[in-house]
Amino acid sequence: MPGARKHVTLIPNEWSVGKLVTMTTTHAAEAPPPDAPDGLQEHFDATIARDQRIEPRDWMPEGYRKTLIRQIAQHAHSEIIGMQPEGEWITRAPSLRRKAILFAKVQDEAGHGLYLYSAAETLGADRDDLTRRLIEGRQKYSSIFNYPTLSFADVGVIGWFVDGAAICNQVPLCRSSYGPYARAMVRICKEESFHQRQGYELLMTMMRGTDAQREMVQDAVDRWWWPSLMMFGPPDDASPNSARSMAWKIKRHSNDELRRRFVDMTVPQAEKLGVTLPDPQLRWNEESGHHDFGTPDWDELMRVIKGDGPCNDRRMERRRTAHEEGAWVREAATAHAAKQAARAEKGAAA
Ligand code: FAQ
């Protein structure tokens, strides 16, 4: 295909997390001058304009705080629910090596959820409350995790597409204006890069295998391509939150811009792998310097977001059960913390 790169890199160099870490180590927002109590909004605006970070101790507009809690909580819920589609294959992985890799990946996703809930807590959110909202269907999680994993090739395609899309979306969030979120994203993105590589390597191995294995890979690609494009959210002209989130530098790029980057990144990788992306309109556009591609089914995205996807009920049911079954762990941890605190108090008094 004209314009396709000769050397396939999984993550374009300009998105190196290392580079972004340097970019994000700006100074924290300075404390507002004590003699200017009315200047808090101006101080906040100036901090954002200077590309400096807002930290938990800084004053922030209520809308900024709420938007961050909404996005970070949805992101955390996505990581936790996102353990399920691949988790279903841990017991069926074809070798000990694949089982160990998959186990580690799914555990990483749990860790990402926990960093993100912690980031939300710095904004005054309560983790139990966020979990309750998810379980009661009052908060969202990513549409992508409502699709079934029908074969082991799906594990590879999730790593390649879903973690690849997560990297496109999340590397710019390492420069998000809210410090704890941006810092959590640095570590998360490093781990997502490993996840993407393991998926691509698994698919490469299958493509070198039998005809049946190659068919499994192509079938998984056909099923996951469009839902992966939908992960980036509705088109810009139907994205009610984008303008404000971008003005606050919570989001750094629009949904369509990130979707296009993902397509540009993935096309040469698909060629190298030897699979066909299921979009007859996909072609390199010399003039724009990007790929043209077809329109995702936005009605499907809306249906899945509203709870009517292929696996929404199953995912939520599993999440509710896991929460109930984990009650004893939370009770034990709370009792242990209370005992430790009582011991420390007694020790201090002695
Ligand atoms: N699914 O105005 P916008 C991962 C909602 S983590 C469900 O454009 P915004 C790692 C949106 O919330 C994947 N809902 O919204 C992994 C809003 O609803 P609200 C998660 C969606 O916030 C890999 C409404 O539609 N990543 O993959 C979706 O500006 C493998 C209007 O939309 C993140 O969360 C959707 N796809 O942009 C784990 C990244 N799209 O709240 C396991 C951080 C939109 O007004 C295995 N989040 N909605 O009721 C973001 O960048 C943004 O929140 C967007 C949405 C881009 C997701």
Side-chain angles (χ1 to χ4, degrees):
M1 183 178 288
R5 291 171 216 198
K6 288 227 165 57
H7 300 288
V8 175
T9 44
L10 278 180
I11 300 153
N13 197 31
E14 65 270 24
W15 294 352
S16 144
V17 177
K19 285 186 185 168
L20 287 163
V21 177
T22 336
M23 287 168 76
T24 52
T25 44
T26 53
H27 300 292
E30 295 142 28
D35 57 341
D38 295 336
L40 292 171
Q41 178 72 51
E42 288 75 7
H43 181 79
F44 172 86
D45 293 342
T47 305
I48 298 283
R50 283 197 306 269
D51 253 342
Q52 290 185 329
R53 284 174 177 165
I54 304 297
E55 294 294 341
R57 63 176 177 270
D58 297 327
W59 181 88
M60 61 189 82
E62 196 48 22
Y64 178 82
R65 197 180 69 83
K66 283 197 172 139
T67 297
L68 275 165
I69 293 177
R70 178 186 65 80
Q71 178 165 325
I72 297 172
Q74 285 178 10
H75 194 166
H77 299 330
S78 304
E79 297 279 358
I80 298 296
I81 299 255
M83 294 164 73
Q84 293 185 36
E86 291 162 287
E88 289 178 0
W89 280 92
I90 290 175
T91 54
R92 292 177 287 169
S95 68
L96 182 60
R97 177 172 174 264
R98 292 291 172 202
K99 198 188 284 279
I101 294 171
L102 187 53
F103 224 137
K105 180 182 191 283
V106 172
Q107 275 184 334
D108 282 353
E109 283 151 10
H112 298 175
L114 301 189
Y115 311 150
L116 288 162
Y117 284 126
S118 299
E121 282 181 328
T122 67
L123 292 154
D126 174 71
R127 188 166 140 196
D128 275 348
D129 178 53
L130 297 179
T131 304
R132 208 168 23 250
R133 283 168 192 257
L134 169 70
I135 283 172
E136 289 170 4
R138 289 187 286 134
Q139 273 183 350
K140 298 186 170 77
Y141 63 92
S142 181
S143 52
I144 192 72
F145 302 116
N146 292 306
Y147 292 85
T149 38
L150 303 182
S151 82
F152 196 67
D154 290 37
V155 169
V157 171
I158 288 177
W160 177 31
F161 283 171
V162 178
D163 287 281
I167 290 167
C168 287
N169 174 276
Q170 290 167 206
V171 167
L173 293 176
C174 298
R175 290 167 46 237
S176 182
S177 57
Y178 186 59
Y181 190 33
R183 287 189 288 274
M185 293 319 305
V186 171
R187 179 157 175 188
I188 290 176
C189 286
K190 286 185 181 173
E191 292 176 353
E192 302 290 25
S193 303
F194 154 71
H195 295 172
Q196 189 203 21
R197 269 160 208 279
Q198 69 79 36
Y200 197 72
E201 188 267 343
L202 164 55
L203 297 176
M204 275 286 187
T205 306
M206 291 186 78
M207 291 301 284
R208 283 195 295 266
T210 61
D211 283 347
Q213 285 175 308
R214 278 186 285 278
E215 275 164 32
M216 275 165 73
V217 174
Q218 184 61 58
D219 173 61
V221 165
D222 291 346
R223 286 182 287 105
W224 286 92
W225 175 248
W226 292 107
S228 299
L229 293 192
M230 291 174 201
M231 263 181 88
F232 293 91
D236 290 353
D237 57 10
S239 165
N241 300 300
S242 276
R244 209 155 68 137
S245 287
M246 285 172 70
W248 277 328
K249 297 184 182 167
I250 294 173
K251 274 168 87 161
R252 291 287 183 155
H253 302 282
S254 77
N255 299 354
D256 286 336
E257 200 182 332
L258 293 171
R259 195 172 0 255
R260 191 179 64 181
R261 281 189 183 195
F262 173 72
V263 173
D264 286 343
M265 177 179 96
T266 309
V267 168
Q269 296 168 358
E271 281 173 11
K272 174 101 181 156
L273 197 58
V275 295
T276 307
L277 297 174
D279 179 357
Q281 293 179 48
L282 186 63
R283 63 182 56 86
W284 177 252
N285 182 328
E286 201 64 59
E287 220 168 279
S288 68
H290 295 284
H291 291 87
D292 291 335
F293 55 98
T295 307
D297 181 345
W298 299 126
D299 291 340
E300 177 179 323
L301 174 65
M302 287 309 142
R303 276 198 307 277
V304 176
I305 291 179
K306 286 190 181 133
D308 198 15
C311 299
N312 294 59
D313 291 345
R314 196 160 105 204
R315 301 290 183 241
M316 286 305 291
E317 182 51 36
R318 182 77 200 97
R319 183 69 196 89
R320 276 188 208 105
T321 311
H323 189 65
E324 283 161 20
E325 287 174 352
W328 71 270
V329 180
R330 292 189 295 280
E331 279 161 25
T334 307
H336 180 70
K339 209 158 123 186
Q340 295 284 93
R343 268 198 204 132
E345 206 173 299
K346 213 167 147 189

